[in-house]
Amino acid sequence: PVYKKQNNYIHISAILTAASAAIPAGLTYKYGWGASPGVTGENEDRDHPYMEWNYFKPWCRFSPYIVGIFLGYLLHITKGKPFKMSKVANLWGWTIAAATGLAIVYGLDLSGAEFFSKKLSMAENIIYGGFHRLAWAIAVSWVIFACSRGYGGLLILITVR
C-alpha cells in the first residue's frame, strides 16, 4: 500500500507534479502558443497546433490527476483522526483557493479592458500555460479537503439541505 512507503511516494508525486507543470510550459515556449486555446501567442508554430499538441495530450493534462492522488492520500491518512485547523489558516485557505479559481477562470478575459488590450507576453503565456491546470486542481482540492474535514463553513450548510 502507498501509505506504508509514504516517503517514496511523496517524492515521486512531487517530481510528477513539477513535470506536469514543466511539460506544458516548455511546449508553450517551444511552439510559441498562447496561454490557452483562445489566446494567440507570439510566433505560433502552425505545424504544432495548441489543441492537438497540448490540449488533447495526456502528458500535458495529468497535473489534476496527480493532485487528486495526493488529496486522496491526505484524506486517507487523516480519516478517523481529529483534525484541527485554526480559523486564520482556514480563512487563508479559502481566500487563496477562491482567488486562484477566479484568476484562472476570469484572468484571461481581457478583451473588454482597455488597459489589457495588448497581447500577453511570452513569459505570461508560459506561466499560465504551465500552471493553470495545477493551480485549478489545488484550488478544488482545498474545497474538497476543507469541506470533508468540517471547515466548509456556509458551503456545508448549503449542500447538506
Side-chain angles (χ1 to χ4, degrees):
V2 171
Y3 62 91
K4 290 186 179 179
K5 298 177 184 176
Q6 65 185 6
N7 287 337
N8 292 337
Y9 290 105
I10 289 173
H11 291 114
I12 291 170
S13 294
I15 291 167
L16 289 174
T17 302
S20 73
I23 290 171
L27 290 174
T28 300
Y29 174 73
K30 180 178 181 181
Y31 297 124
W33 294 325
S36 70
V39 179
T40 17
E42 301 175 6
N43 307 320
E44 282 196 33
D45 184 355
R46 299 292 175 207
D47 294 333
H48 298 89
Y50 179 90
M51 292 299 286
E52 183 181 340
W53 288 84
N54 189 331
Y55 193 78
F56 295 138
K57 300 296 182 185
W59 52 82
C60 292
R61 302 180 60 81
F62 71 95
S63 53
Y65 178 74
I66 299 297
V67 171
I69 289 174
F70 182 74
L71 174 65
Y73 172 73
L74 188 63
L75 290 172
H76 175 74
I77 62 171
T78 60
K79 180 180 172 181
K81 298 177 184 173
F83 185 82
K84 299 290 181 189
M85 183 181 345
S86 71
K87 289 182 180 181
V88 173
N90 189 26
L91 181 64
W92 271 107
W94 278 103
T95 303
I96 291 169
T100 301
L102 290 171
I104 290 166
V105 172
Y106 299 112
L108 291 180
D109 187 25
L110 309 174
S111 58
E114 288 182 29
F115 179 74
F116 292 113
S117 61
K118 67 175 182 70
K119 281 187 169 184
L120 294 175
S121 71
M122 191 59 168
E124 292 166 331
N125 284 327
I126 291 168
I127 290 169
Y128 188 90
F131 291 97
H132 74 279
R133 291 182 187 105
L134 177 63
W136 177 260
I138 291 170
V140 172
S141 293
W142 170 260
V143 174
I144 294 168
F145 181 79
C147 289
S148 68
R149 295 300 172 244
Y151 292 98
L154 293 176
L155 195 58
I156 290 178
L157 295 176
I158 292 170
T159 57
V160 169
R161 294 178 188 196

